[in-house]
Amino acid sequence: QSALTQPASVSGSPGQSITISCTGTSSDVGGYKYVSWYQHHPGKAPKLMIYDASNRPSGVSDRFSGSKSGNTASLTISGLQAEDEADYFCSSYTRSATLVFGAGTKLTVL
Amino acid sequence: QVQLVESGGGVVQPGRSLRLSCAASGFTFSSRVMHWVRQAPGRGLEWVALISGDGDNRYHADSVRGRFTISRDNSKNTLYLHMNSLRTEDTAVYYCARDRGDWQLDSWGQGTRVTVSS
């Protein structure tokens, strides 16, 4: 199972919006609603930010939103803040009954 | 609150074995599917294994199948990863994580580091 495709890095200034894409296939992202996004500050526990492609868990800021179209999911962060600087990973359930992650995107807040 | 604390990592020679543990608290452990996920240095996250709440169903990634075994002891609220025939490419930080019910992970530990080196 190949990793989902994410850009290696994105950046934005405080207050701006950024979008991170996550591209898979019809056997994973395109075939199931079970697409998640995780925020990972190095050395800390990863945190679930989006589940079912577009739902936010309780306690996650509404500045974070998700969407999916075909084989590509997207995470948008609006009103960028310094504390948003982290690595972001997408994941999807797959037809093979496994879980596949993206390679991760490093977000830099300028 | 939900807490997951991994332990058991360290430096081990290729071909040797290691057992990781994950102590869970703050929720009904036996009712939740649990996972192990790892991150090699400079790499992304890689799913390793899943186990059902009662322990009867287990899935392992192709990269570890036949060498690693996920297990759990619900009487001790503890998840395990038994790792045999370790390879240098198994070097990673290993995380345990709780499944929200649909292969999406709503709580994670901080990880334990495993280094396989001669």
Side-chain angles (χ1 to χ4, degrees):
Chain A
Q1 181 72 45
S2 300
L4 305 176
T5 301
Q6 296 182 234
S9 63
V10 298
S11 62
S13 299
Q16 289 186 330
S17 295
I18 62 94
T19 296
I20 300 171
S21 61
C22 169
T23 301
T25 69
S26 59
S27 296
D28 39 65
V29 174
Y32 303 93
K33 71 173 185 176
Y34 306 124
V35 176
S36 306
W37 287 93
Y38 302 91
Q39 178 190 64
H40 188 204
H41 289 103
K44 297 197 171 183
K47 178 182 179 182
L48 177 66
M49 306 302 285
I50 297 288
Y51 68 93
D52 290 354
S54 61
N55 294 327
R56 270 188 314 276
S58 173
V60 171
S61 170
D62 60 5
R63 297 186 298 105
F64 292 82
S65 62
S67 63
K68 192 183 82 163
S69 177
N71 296 338
T72 298
S74 299
L75 172 71
T76 297
I77 308 173
S78 59
L80 269 178
Q81 299 179 1
E83 60 261 36
D84 297 334
E85 185 162 295
D87 297 321
Y88 290 84
F89 294 91
C90 60
S91 74
S92 174
Y93 176 71
T94 81
R95 183 182 299 171
S96 305
T98 62
L99 187 61
V100 63
F101 286 92
T105 297
K106 181 177 180 60
L107 169 62
T108 300
V109 180
L110 302 171
Chain B
Q1 74 280 19
V2 175
Q3 198 166 19
L4 298 170
V5 180
E6 302 92 339
S7 62
V11 180
V12 61
Q13 293 179 328
R16 303 299 291 265
S17 299
L18 204 60
R19 186 186 77 168
L20 305 183
S21 300
C22 171
S25 60
F27 65 101
T28 305
F29 181 68
S30 61
S31 67
R32 301 301 285 268
V33 170
M34 298 293 295
H35 297 253
W36 286 100
V37 177
R38 68 184 180 183
Q39 184 174 30
R43 305 288 296 274
L45 297 173
E46 179 188 14
W47 176 76
V48 174
L50 164 156
I51 187 167
S52 60
D54 60 9
D56 285 348
N57 296 296
R58 314 176 198 211
Y59 299 85
H60 297 82
D62 289 345
S63 59
V64 306
R65 189 173 298 120
R67 300 187 300 120
F68 291 11
T69 302
I70 189 172
S71 67
R72 65 193 298 159
D73 185 337
N74 287 341
S75 69
K76 296 181 178 179
N77 286 351
T78 302
L79 176 73
Y80 300 102
L81 185 66
H82 307 262
M83 304 186 294
N84 298 323
S85 303
L86 281 161
R87 305 169 180 168
T88 55
E89 56 263 37
D90 296 320
T91 293
V93 176
Y94 285 74
Y95 299 94
C96 67
R98 187 182 75 168
D99 193 306
R100 60 183 301 277
D102 47 18
W103 292 78
Q104 299 177 92
L105 311 180
D106 63 359
S107 291
W108 297 63
Q110 292 204 326
T112 186
R113 185 176 301 274
V114 173
T115 301
V116 184
S117 173
S118 54

